[in-house]
Amino acid sequence: MDIFSTDPSIIGMVHLPPLPGSPGFDGDRSEIRTRLRQDAAALESGGVDAIMLENFGDAPFYPDRVPRHVVADVAALAAMLREQVSIPFGVNILRNDVQSALGIAAATGGSVVRVNVHTGARLTDQGLIEGMAHETLRLREQLDADVAILADIDVKHSAPLAERSHDEVVGELVERGGADGIIVSGTGTGEAVDTTVLEQVVGSRDARGLDVPVLIGSGVTPETAPELLSVADGAIVGTALKQGGKTTNPVDEAAVERLVESVR
């Protein structure tokens, strides 16, 4: 995976504004495209290794499959992103539509997808979400897609149905679920990761001899990045790269530069 050719790797978030059909959409498609171009340019110029495109503004989210018009809009935006940047990019369709994300990535040259619940099940504000690894891996084979799957463990904004060890879940995600990487996040968007959990996940990965990266999925800042990324292989960063540290604001190129410089 080219995304992880740099150690540690920084994946910057493009949080899309509300798309057509979602409650927050303001009727201006051109503004969505303008925001995408501006955020992507700031992330690439600031030095990130890759970009993750996500329909962040579409809350409340569908628990699994999104409507066709959402897939069409994100695919069009992903194609625009591919034409603009020279770095790899990925797709995340909230809340857990990895099949659509995989299809978009395969069609537009994306390198990676993120899936919140890949194996097992989690209780979320969208209700019970169940992993569909059996469908996702077969779809990737059918599409002959060279797209990596990054899977969350204890994904943010969710709770487990039963307490299980991180070692068990790491094994299921990679050995049984076929994930290509593991994401460890805090309890919510922009929330810091529990370093004890991060160390346990990395330790389980190493003890099992698994050749997959472990990424931090939330809460990384220029101040915390050096220590955290001495443990993890990379991070997906959104909030800390935005103007004023607010997730829905535009990307601040100077903030991107500060975070990248803190770990290079």
Side-chain angles (χ1 to χ4, degrees):
M1 294 182 285
D2 291 342
I3 288 177
F4 305 109
S5 59
T6 303
D7 185 21
S9 297
I10 303 297
I11 302 174
M13 288 299 307
V14 168
H15 292 118
L16 291 171
L19 298 174
S22 67
F25 178 57
D26 64 4
D28 190 350
R29 287 177 180 271
S30 64
E31 178 57 30
I32 296 174
R33 294 191 291 269
T34 298
R35 176 69 175 271
L36 168 65
R37 286 192 291 265
Q38 292 173 343
D39 283 355
L43 288 168
E44 184 170 29
S45 296
V48 301
D49 301 292
I51 291 172
M52 184 70 74
L53 186 67
E54 180 181 87
N55 61 326
F56 182 81
D58 279 355
F61 303 114
Y62 291 89
D64 39 56
R65 299 296 175 88
V66 299
R68 294 170 183 170
H69 64 83
V70 176
V71 180
D73 272 312
V74 177
L77 294 166
M80 180 183 297
L81 179 62
R82 173 70 292 156
E83 291 299 313
Q84 176 172 335
V85 301
S86 60
I87 57 177
F89 75 93
V91 181
N92 185 24
I93 302 294
L94 298 169
R95 175 70 152 122
N96 206 53
D97 192 355
V98 65
Q99 285 80 17
S100 292
L102 185 58
I104 293 169
T108 61
S111 299
V112 64
V113 294
R114 179 177 184 174
V115 52
N116 287 179
V117 183
H118 185 55
T119 60
R122 303 282 297 184
L123 186 62
T124 74
D125 53 311
Q126 294 81 34
L128 180 65
I129 294 182
E130 298 183 53
M132 301 293 286
H134 58 290
E135 287 191 1
T136 304
L137 271 292
R138 285 172 173 80
L139 177 59
R140 184 168 65 174
E141 287 297 315
Q142 292 167 10
L143 297 177
D144 192 24
D146 187 19
V147 177
I149 297 168
L150 302 182
D152 278 272
I153 185 169
D154 292 343
V155 69
K156 55 192 174 183
H157 303 291
S158 75
L161 299 183
E163 293 300 324
R164 304 182 62 212
S165 73
H166 290 106
D167 183 64
E168 287 180 288
V169 181
V170 165
E172 288 184 358
L173 283 173
V174 181
E175 296 171 341
R176 292 169 64 84
D180 302 297
I182 302 170
I183 301 171
V184 183
S185 64
T187 56
T189 302
E191 296 295 324
V193 68
D194 184 328
T195 54
T196 300
V197 172
L198 177 62
E199 290 169 352
Q200 288 174 350
V201 171
V202 171
S204 294
R205 185 271 311 270
D206 294 344
R208 289 175 174 269
L210 302 175
D211 185 21
V212 298
V214 174
L215 307 180
I216 300 169
S218 70
V220 173
T221 68
E223 293 73 30
T224 63
E227 180 178 357
L228 290 173
L229 293 177
S230 68
V231 179
D233 302 295
I236 302 172
V237 190
T239 301
L241 306 183
K242 302 301 185 68
Q243 294 176 10
K246 184 176 180 181
T247 309
T248 54
N249 280 352
V251 172
D252 180 349
E253 185 175 334
V256 180
E257 291 173 349
R258 285 195 298 274
L259 188 135
V260 172
E261 290 170 0
S262 73
V263 295
R264 299 283 162 79

